[in-house]
Amino acid sequence: MSVPLKVKLTIEKARGAFSYVGANMATGHGDGYQDSHGELAATHYKLVHSIFSPNATRETKEHFARKLHEFIGRGIPMYSGDEEVDLTKPALRSMCSQDWPDDAADLIERLFKAYVAAGQIEVQDCGFPLTYSLPDDRPKDGSLLELAVNRGSHHAVRALLDLGADISCVPFKRSVIVPNSTTNPSKRVEVERGDILGYAMAMGRYSNPLFKHLTEAVMRKTLEAPSPSSSTEDADQPPQSADAPLPGARPRRAAL
């Protein structure tokens, strides 16, 4: 005996996996698309948050991911309810501000990279108000990478670094960090702009896997940077013509 669709929807909703059109999509009955562009955008907004649900199964999240890739391909934005305010960038920024569940981290990483490839968000997106509450003496803007480091989302940090996020933008401004400490709550740590490792340590992320990702990124940038001495020596040398002998080459014998 088959379970009625209405009962399936109720079960899905009770599990907290999804509601609205997404619950219908989770059961596999119907594709969940609506005629209204606003409803499509609202569904897009709900789905991108529901893929993080701890109550949804891997199979359900895979279904969500397939639908989200379809929305990306169709260029559907994200709205919330009937207001039709474009929330695409805030929603995608929020992906960097939360933990990616281990059972869906690969799905979310592919999705985030697809959003970047589609131009719906930029990896170097920075200077926007951060979504978490801050004391008055801390900066109100940052970057996606700073947001991920601040929230301890190591999956997001790794994805952003893979996409070429600029580590010199973390922190975006000189920051005064007040670490969460019960032993010394008044301790303040000053972190200069671009000191990403100092920022991560001040936020207490040195035991998080993201600290390893950041350390490797800093080492790569250091190794790729040109040596100051070699660049100075090159600047002091006059330009050579195409006929000039290479340094250390033996002179050619004069023609007889």
Side-chain angles (χ1 to χ4, degrees), residues 5-256:
L5 174 59
K6 185 176 181 180
V7 175
K8 288 186 177 182
L9 292 176
T10 304
I11 292 173
E12 288 294 335
K13 187 174 181 180
R15 288 175 179 171
F18 199 56
S19 59
Y20 190 58
V21 181
N24 182 40
M25 295 166 65
T27 63
H29 294 272
D31 60 7
Y33 287 157
Q34 304 295 304
D35 294 331
S36 167
H37 183 269
E39 290 179 338
L40 277 173
T43 303
H44 191 180
Y45 181 78
K46 289 177 178 292
L47 271 180
V48 82
H49 287 87
S50 295
I51 199 169
F52 288 88
S53 171
N55 299 310
T57 64
R58 168 74 185 197
E59 182 180 4
T60 300
K61 291 177 181 179
E62 288 176 348
H63 191 73
F64 290 165
R66 286 193 294 271
K67 293 301 178 182
L68 285 168
H69 280 289
E70 290 179 18
F71 283 131
I72 295 171
R74 297 174 63 180
I76 303 295
M78 298 187 204
Y79 295 162
S80 178
D82 299 327
E83 298 177 1
E84 296 198 358
V85 176
D86 193 340
L87 298 174
T88 305
K89 281 191 175 182
L92 294 179
R93 288 168 181 166
S94 73
M95 293 179 72
C96 299
S97 67
Q98 54 187 312
D99 289 330
W100 295 4
D102 291 333
D103 67 334
D106 59 324
L107 301 176
I108 298 171
E109 181 173 349
R110 285 195 292 271
L111 275 171
F112 186 77
K113 291 181 176 180
Y115 282 116
V116 172
Q120 292 187 303
I121 194 166
E122 298 179 2
V123 175
Q124 311 300 355
D125 184 20
C126 61
F128 58 86
L130 296 175
T131 57
Y132 51 87
S133 60
L134 298 172
D136 292 338
D137 60 351
R138 287 173 59 184
K140 299 296 192 295
D141 45 17
S143 64
L144 292 178
L145 185 56
E146 181 172 346
L147 191 59
V149 172
N150 184 282
R151 289 300 183 91
S153 179
H154 68 95
H155 291 299
V157 166
R158 183 180 63 185
L160 288 165
L161 291 174
D162 287 346
L163 289 166
D166 187 0
I167 62 175
S168 66
C169 283
V170 182
F172 187 69
K173 289 183 178 179
R174 182 177 178 276
S175 305
V176 179
I177 310 298
V178 183
N180 295 324
S181 173
T182 56
T183 58
N184 189 8
S186 62
K187 182 179 179 182
R188 299 157 66 91
V189 180
E190 295 185 3
V191 182
E192 296 296 329
R193 171 184 167 88
D195 182 8
I196 190 168
L197 294 182
Y199 181 78
M201 291 186 69
M203 297 303 301
R205 305 304 182 197
Y206 43 83
S207 60
N208 188 298
L210 69 81
F211 197 79
K212 178 176 180 290
H213 303 324
L214 296 177
T215 302
E216 292 173 348
V218 171
M219 291 179 64
R220 283 196 301 270
K221 185 172 183 178
T222 302
L223 292 173
E224 293 170 359
S227 171
S229 59
S230 62
S231 59
T232 304
E233 292 174 359
D234 293 341
D236 293 339
Q237 296 294 328
Q240 292 185 345
S241 66
D243 296 331
L246 296 174
R250 298 176 61 185
R252 291 178 295 179
R253 295 178 61 186
L256 295 175

